[in-house]
């Protein structure tokens, strides 16, 4: 006989309460198995966060099995990752093997991961705070798609973040909050697991009501769940008001200590503080010690009825902050202890918990063990019929067609930054579908990174039209930035974390919302480092976008060292999920942009980073397109060497004029001297690494592109490498064929000045290249 699912609210509450206990057990057991039962070869603690999971189970049970709709997406608190794994284990989406391999190679991940986990994960989390802010930007992307007719308003989902209260210390959350207010975001819920304990301490009491004020000022509704139904019932009894006032004024640290000590300690403290007040002793005497402990820890975040009511109350699109008071380690012997963040139950404690739940030894992994036949069948049926069980899996839409060729911007002298702007402008003026899917953004550097032309053509995105007051007043301006619902540029303030999180959200539009967007973001190259955590987060989430860092290197000379990037080539080379190019010429820019727009859409593609410059240089007169294939592999001979020649100059980017000037002088002393233009130190190095790895991974070992190119030289050849950035980005090339290398680049903070002075001071000019070549010959 089929067991009916919960058909009254009371029955549903009871069913979800049973799920709450089940999730608490499975998450705790998963961590326990990894640390105490699974064999260890290195003797290291595996880790996991039993206490952090326990404070979240009721919240996640009520959300996932009551409030969640098919179109909603959830970012889960990193330390509650095992709870998400347990939910999908109950749903049949997760295997026993994966749970048993929690935090082991190929098993369930430490923190929810879109790229590494086998269960459905809406948002990767791990670096605290980023998984919170990403939901606000995903809400903005959803509004963009609705405004552009790619989604129906009725299909709008809530972008939900489940967050630890310690994440409220992260500055990027408040940067995001301000940006969200400017863009009037909707359909965003942030649910705070307000357990008032972090890794090192308890939350400062003076923060009480401050979070409410901050969010309310930014237009959010704040719903506070402090007391569960047991506490509210006690408050209604004689003496209850005194008890309520005591709880309201109890310091966070005191509450944690008493929670850990249990019922007798609660009784002693309450009697000492308020026992003389009317009816209080009688009220306390009506509970035994266990009952009193249960009453005092019956906070809103552990009360399924309170959580369901709170979620139901926010039945509109207003952004909402739920502050759910909880106990860290709720229901575990670790509850309230100062060290419970990284602590975990010992075998005796986990056995006691298992016995309390009626789970027999050997049945710890049974999804519904210890519940009794009827309740187990009822719970399984409830889970199988839940909205989450019927939620469709993500599906990628078809790629957006990319034109076969991009016109090359004309002009005898050009900068790569200007060429980028011209290519985008040509697209903006076209009727190509690709142009309609491009969304641009910048952290308050739209004009100075050559996005202005695209924005003039396509407009700023705003859900409500905003008039250009200067234009209406007939005041001349190069900016004709009308703001309207069909605009394709999302304007941001100067916060690089927001910039990278928006790019991440735009790049995930295809899997999240079924519509592919082509995100293009520009940022001053040295300030990539300011948003590096968020950039890494986007790449780890497998979001695909085009990042343009410009201007770069010493070429922004008069701005001084703070605006002169040094290590960004190494970031481009070292960041997984990011392909880095540094073009020297305008035709290279057009080639790489076209390649990027296709590569972003490939299932095994990635984000792409173009490092550009404002430096105007003379363009190459091409006679054919044979260079393009090699350029897309990472390098090509700009000046081919004579067979077996003994030297070459290897360079990247806007330093080309100095390199060619040195080549002009040196070719008389070194006949057949070659000039190798490395267009992507990243792809070139990856190819070399993959070739070496093939020797021990069983792959087919073939010559890498760098090896093929350098084989044109003599086996005893020497090379000078030159880049307006860290010399380490190119110096490794000597290891490909055991060649002597003299690497030139910048490894110090720059000063202000013009380029001739700066290139001379930092040994990047023609004379420095000639001297470096001479040094190699002297060392023979």
């Amino acid at each position: 006989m089929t067991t009916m699912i919960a058909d009254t609210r009371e029955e549903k509450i009871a069913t979800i309460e049973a799920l709450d206990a089940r999730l608490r057990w499975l998450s705790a057991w998963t961590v326990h198995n990894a640390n105490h039962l699974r064999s260890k070869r290195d003797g290291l603690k595996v880790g996991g966060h039993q206490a952090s999971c326990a404070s979240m189970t009721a919240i996640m049970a009520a959300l996932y099995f009551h409030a969640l709709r098919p179109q909603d997406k959830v970012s889960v608190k990193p330390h509650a990752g095992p709870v998400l794994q347990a939910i999908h284990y109950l749903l049949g989406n997760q295997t026993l093997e994966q749970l048993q391999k929690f935090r082991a190679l190929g098993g369930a991940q430490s923190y929810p991961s879109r790229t590494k986990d086998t269960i459905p994960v809406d948002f990767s989390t791990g670096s605290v705070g980023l998984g919170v802010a990403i939901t606000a930007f995903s809400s903005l992307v959803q509004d963009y798609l609705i405004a552009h007719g790619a989604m129906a308003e009725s299909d709008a989902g809530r972008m939900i973040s489940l967050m630890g209260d310690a994440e409220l210390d992260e500055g990027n959350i408040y940067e995001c909050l301000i940006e969200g207010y400017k863009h009037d975001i909707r359909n965003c819920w942030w649910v705070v697991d307000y357990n008032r304990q972090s890794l090192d301490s308890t939350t400062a009491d003076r923060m009480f009501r401050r979070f409410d004020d901050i969010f309310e000022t930014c237009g959010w509704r704040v719903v506070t769940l402090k007391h569960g139904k047991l506490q509210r019932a006690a408050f209604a009894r004689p003496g209850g008001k005194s008890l309520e006032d005591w709880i309201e004024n109890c310091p966070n640290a005191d509450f944690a200590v008493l929670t850990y000590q249990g019922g007798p300690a609660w009784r002693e403290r309450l009697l000492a503080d308020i026992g003389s007040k009317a009816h209080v002793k009688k009220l306390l005497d009506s509970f035994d010690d266990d009952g009193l402990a249960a009453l005092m820890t019956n906070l809103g975040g552990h009360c399924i009825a309170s959580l369901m009511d709170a979620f139901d109350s926010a039945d509109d699109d207003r952004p909402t902050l739920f502050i759910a008071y909880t106990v860290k380690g709720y229901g575990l012997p670790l509850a309230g202890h100062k060290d419970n963040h990284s602590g975990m139950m010992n075998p005796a404690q986990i056995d006691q918990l298992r016995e309390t739940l009626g789970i027999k030894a050997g049945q710890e992994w049974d999804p519904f063990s210890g519940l009794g036949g009827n309740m187990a069948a009822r719970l399984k049926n409830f889970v199988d019929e839940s909205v989450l069980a019927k939620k469709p899996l993500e599906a990628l839409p078809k790629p957006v067609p990319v034109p076969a060729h991009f016109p090359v911007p004309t002009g005898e002298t050009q900068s790569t930054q200007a060429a980028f702007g011209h290519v985008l402008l040509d697209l903006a003026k076209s009727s190509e579908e690709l142009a309609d899917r491009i969304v641009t953004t910048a952290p308050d550097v739209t004009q100075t990174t050559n996005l202005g032309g695209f924005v003039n053509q396509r407009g700023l995105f705003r859900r409500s039209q905003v008039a250009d007051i200067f234009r209406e007043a007939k005041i001349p301006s190069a900016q004709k930035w009308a703001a309207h619902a069909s605009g394709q540029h999302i304007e941001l303030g100067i916060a690089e974390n927001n910039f990278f999180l928006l790019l991440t959200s735009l790049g995930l539009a295809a899997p999240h919302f079924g519509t592919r967007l082509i995100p293009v973001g520009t940022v001053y190259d040295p300030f990539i480092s300011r948003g590096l955590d968020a950039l890494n987060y986007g790449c780890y989430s497998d979001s695909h976008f085009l990042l343009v860092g410009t201007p770069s290197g010493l070429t922004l000379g008069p701005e001084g060292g703070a605006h002169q990037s040094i290590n960004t080539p190494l970031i481009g080379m070292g960041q997984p999920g990011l392909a880095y190019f540094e073009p020297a010429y305008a035709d290279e820019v057009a080639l790489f942009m076209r390649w990027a727009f296709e590569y972003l859409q490939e299932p095994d593609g990635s984000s792409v980073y173009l490092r550009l410059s404002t430096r105007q240089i003379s363009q190459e007169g091409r006679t054919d397109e044979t260079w393009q294939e090699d350029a897309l592999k990472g390098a090509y001979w700009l000046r081919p060497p004579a067979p077996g020649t003994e030297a070459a100059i290897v360079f990247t980017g806007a330093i080309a004029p100095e390199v060619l000037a040195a080549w002009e002088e040196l070719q008389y002393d070194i006949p057949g001297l070659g000039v190798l233009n490395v267009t992507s130190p990243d792809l070139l190095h990856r190819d070399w690494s993959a070739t070496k790895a093939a020797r021990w991974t069983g792959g087919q070992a073939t010559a890498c592109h760098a090896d093929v190119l350098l084989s044109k030289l003599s086996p005893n050849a020497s090379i000078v490498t030159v880049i307006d950035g860290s010399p380490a980005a190119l110096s490794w090339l000597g290891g490909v064929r055991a060649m002597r290398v003299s690497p030139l680049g910048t490894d110090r903070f720059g000063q202000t000045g013009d380029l001739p002075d700066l290139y001379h001071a930092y040994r990047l000019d023609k004379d420095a290249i000639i001297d470096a070549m001479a040094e190699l010959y002297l060392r023979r």
Side-chain angles (χ1 to χ4, degrees):
M1 182 176 70
T2 301
T3 304
M4 296 295 293
I5 61 171
D7 52 6
T8 69
R9 189 170 184 84
E10 290 72 22
E11 290 173 333
K12 188 173 188 180
I13 290 170
T15 304
I16 296 178
E17 286 175 343
L19 273 174
D20 172 21
R22 184 59 24 184
L23 296 177
R24 192 178 307 119
W25 165 256
L26 282 172
S27 58
W29 182 253
T30 298
V31 176
H32 179 80
N33 179 77
N35 287 275
H36 291 285
L37 302 180
R38 196 170 70 212
S39 62
K40 297 186 183 70
R41 293 174 297 176
D42 54 15
L44 296 177
K45 173 184 174 182
V46 176
H49 300 273
Q50 290 173 330
S52 295
C53 289
S55 63
M56 281 292 296
T57 54
I59 293 170
M60 293 179 70
L63 178 70
Y64 277 92
F65 294 99
H66 173 70
L68 206 66
R69 305 169 303 176
Q71 66 268 41
D72 297 339
K73 303 189 186 307
V74 185
S75 172
V76 175
K77 182 180 83 167
H79 296 146
V83 183
L84 182 65
Q85 302 287 348
I87 286 174
H88 284 286
Y89 184 59
L90 295 180
L91 288 163
N93 297 330
Q94 182 56 289
T95 65
L96 173 59
E97 180 187 15
Q98 282 280 301
L99 289 189
Q100 290 175 330
K101 292 174 66 178
F102 172 65
R103 293 196 170 200
L105 182 63
Q109 297 297 296
S110 309
Y111 311 119
S113 171
R114 288 184 56 83
T115 56
K116 305 298 182 185
D117 271 315
T118 58
I119 61 171
V121 174
D122 295 327
F123 299 97
S124 296
T125 53
S127 183
V128 294
L130 297 181
V132 179
I134 191 70
T135 57
F137 290 107
S138 291
S139 296
L140 177 57
V141 171
Q142 180 175 248
D143 279 342
Y144 180 94
L145 294 170
I146 291 170
H148 284 75
M151 275 185 70
E153 180 74 46
S154 58
D155 291 335
R158 296 188 185 102
M159 304 298 115
I160 303 168
S161 174
L162 304 175
M163 60 192 291
D165 53 357
E167 292 189 79
L168 288 167
D169 292 338
E170 287 288 348
N172 78 279
I173 286 181
Y174 302 98
E175 292 178 347
C176 160
L177 197 61
I178 293 168
E179 200 65 60
Y181 180 74
K182 289 191 288 187
H183 285 280
D184 191 24
I185 65 161
R186 309 179 295 159
N187 295 305
C188 191
W189 283 5
W190 290 357
V191 185
V192 183
D193 169 14
Y194 198 54
N195 60 49
R196 292 152 291 158
Q197 286 184 261
S198 61
L199 177 58
D200 289 334
S201 62
T202 53
T203 302
D205 296 292
R206 65 183 292 122
M207 291 309 298
F208 179 68
R209 274 293 302 170
R210 295 289 72 79
F211 296 127
D212 312 44
D213 294 343
I214 293 168
F215 278 80
E216 286 167 353
T217 298
C218 289
W220 286 55
R221 170 175 47 220
V222 178
V223 178
T224 301
L225 299 88
K226 186 161 189 178
H227 307 291
K229 62 181 180 181
L230 294 180
Q231 285 192 356
R232 294 196 300 272
F235 298 159
R237 294 170 58 186
K241 184 65 172 66
S242 297
L243 180 62
E244 181 179 8
D245 291 343
W246 185 92
I247 292 174
E248 289 294 326
N249 293 293
C250 180
N252 290 336
D254 287 14
F255 193 93
V257 167
L258 291 166
T259 296
Y260 181 72
Q261 291 176 327
W266 280 115
R267 192 178 305 279
E268 181 182 354
R269 176 65 179 272
L270 289 168
L271 287 173
D273 288 356
I274 58 173
S276 61
K277 295 184 182 257
H279 308 294
V280 169
K281 187 176 185 306
K282 183 178 180 181
L283 175 62
L284 297 179
D285 287 346
S286 68
F287 297 92
D288 62 16
D289 285 346
D290 289 343
L292 184 58
L295 171 68
M296 297 306 292
T297 57
N298 178 236
L299 303 179
H302 299 303
C303 178
I304 297 298
S306 300
L307 287 161
M308 289 169 59
D309 289 343
F311 293 149
D312 291 345
S313 72
D315 190 23
D316 54 31
D317 64 6
R318 184 178 176 187
T320 302
L321 177 75
F322 297 92
I323 301 178
Y325 278 72
T326 60
V327 171
K328 193 162 187 173
Y330 180 78
L332 308 181
L334 308 171
H337 196 286
K338 179 183 178 182
D339 301 331
N340 66 12
H341 182 85
S342 299
M344 58 188 67
M345 289 179 280
N346 59 40
Q349 290 172 325
I350 198 82
D351 283 345
Q352 183 182 359
L353 178 63
R354 176 178 54 76
E355 291 171 5
T356 301
L357 294 172
I359 299 171
K360 294 180 180 179
Q363 296 182 1
E364 292 87 354
W365 292 110
D366 187 324
F368 304 104
S369 176
L371 292 173
N374 288 337
M375 188 58 189
R378 183 184 190 87
L379 199 57
K380 184 179 187 308
N381 195 32
F382 179 80
V383 170
D384 291 344
E385 293 299 319
S386 66
V387 168
L388 189 59
K390 302 179 187 331
K391 186 174 181 177
L393 296 176
E394 294 178 350
L396 287 177
K398 292 180 180 179
V400 179
V402 177
H405 299 283
F406 283 178
V408 176
T410 57
E412 292 185 4
T413 61
Q414 295 186 67
S415 72
T416 51
Q417 178 180 303
F420 159 76
H422 285 305
V423 171
L424 265 191
L425 179 58
D426 286 343
L427 272 173
K429 291 178 178 178
S430 75
S431 58
E432 297 284 349
E433 182 184 357
L434 175 66
D436 296 333
R437 298 295 185 91
I438 290 174
V439 186
T440 61
T441 189
D444 200 35
V445 290
T446 302
Q447 300 178 70
T448 49
T449 55
N450 279 70
L451 278 182
F454 182 88
V455 180
N456 277 346
Q457 288 291 317
R458 296 285 175 151
L460 295 169
F461 170 68
R462 286 287 189 277
R463 282 197 293 119
S464 301
Q465 187 162 338
V466 179
D468 184 340
I469 303 300
F470 278 81
R471 189 175 184 185
E472 290 185 354
K474 296 183 169 50
I475 298 174
S477 171
Q479 302 175 40
K480 300 172 184 176
W481 294 0
H484 44 73
S486 59
Q488 291 178 235
H489 177 79
I490 299 178
E491 194 174 20
L492 293 175
I494 190 164
E496 281 75 13
N497 266 295
N498 286 342
F499 168 71
F500 283 117
L501 289 175
L502 176 57
L503 284 177
T504 299
S505 297
L506 290 165
L508 291 174
H512 274 173
F513 304 112
T515 296
R516 194 180 295 275
L517 297 174
I518 309 295
V520 178
T522 60
V523 62
Y524 282 1
D525 195 65
F527 300 143
I528 285 177
S529 298
R530 288 174 57 173
L532 195 53
D533 192 17
L535 170 60
N536 180 69
Y537 173 79
C539 294
Y540 180 68
S541 298
D542 198 29
S543 176
H544 297 178
F545 48 81
L546 177 60
L547 168 65
V548 177
T550 183
S552 64
L554 293 171
T555 60
L556 201 58
E559 294 285 341
H563 283 71
Q564 296 166 2
S565 55
I566 297 171
N567 68 330
T568 48
L570 300 181
I571 292 172
M573 295 176 68
Q575 176 60 57
L578 188 70
Y580 149 55
F581 287 88
E582 186 161 351
Y585 301 107
D587 53 3
E588 294 174 8
V589 173
L591 177 70
F592 300 151
M593 286 181 68
R594 190 208 165 275
W595 179 88
F597 288 145
E598 282 195 336
Y599 189 64
L600 297 179
Q601 302 183 72
E602 294 178 5
D604 58 350
S606 74
S607 293
V608 178
Y609 161 40
L610 299 182
R611 187 173 188 254
L612 305 183
S613 170
T614 51
R615 188 188 188 194
Q616 299 270 344
I617 67 173
S618 297
Q619 300 298 293
E620 277 291 294
R622 310 285 191 188
T623 57
D624 54 46
E625 297 180 349
T626 55
W627 60 276
Q628 294 184 354
E629 182 179 354
D630 279 354
L632 287 171
K633 293 179 182 178
Y636 69 97
W637 285 109
L638 184 66
R639 299 290 184 267
T645 192
E646 295 186 344
I649 306 172
V650 180
F651 81 98
T652 290
I655 202 75
E658 284 68 30
V659 169
L660 292 178
W663 175 80
E664 288 283 355
E665 289 197 18
L666 287 169
Q667 64 174 322
Y668 298 105
D669 296 321
I670 310 174
L673 176 68
V675 175
L676 185 66
N677 181 358
V678 177
T679 55
S680 175
D682 177 31
L683 296 190
L684 210 59
H685 186 269
R686 266 195 264 171
D687 185 31
W688 181 47
S689 296
T691 299
K692 292 191 299 178
R695 297 169 187 158
W696 52 270
T697 58
Q700 184 176 1
T702 57
C704 66
H705 187 52
D707 195 356
V708 171
L709 291 170
L710 294 175
S711 68
K712 306 292 184 186
L713 306 175
S714 163
N716 299 317
S718 302
I719 56 176
V720 174
T721 63
V722 195
I723 184 173
D724 190 350
S726 171
L730 294 180
S731 61
W732 60 270
L733 279 163
V736 176
R737 296 182 68 85
M739 295 175 173
R740 288 184 298 275
V741 179
S742 183
L744 301 179
T746 56
D747 54 12
R748 293 169 289 159
F749 294 112
Q751 301 183 45
T752 57
D754 63 11
L755 277 185
D757 280 345
L758 293 177
Y759 278 0
H760 178 72
Y762 294 95
R763 298 199 74 244
L764 287 174
D765 62 359
K766 177 193 71 173
D767 292 340
I769 297 170
I770 293 172
D771 289 346
M773 186 65 74
E775 180 187 20
L776 287 172
Y777 272 81
L778 289 173
R779 281 165 37 193
R780 289 189 171 189

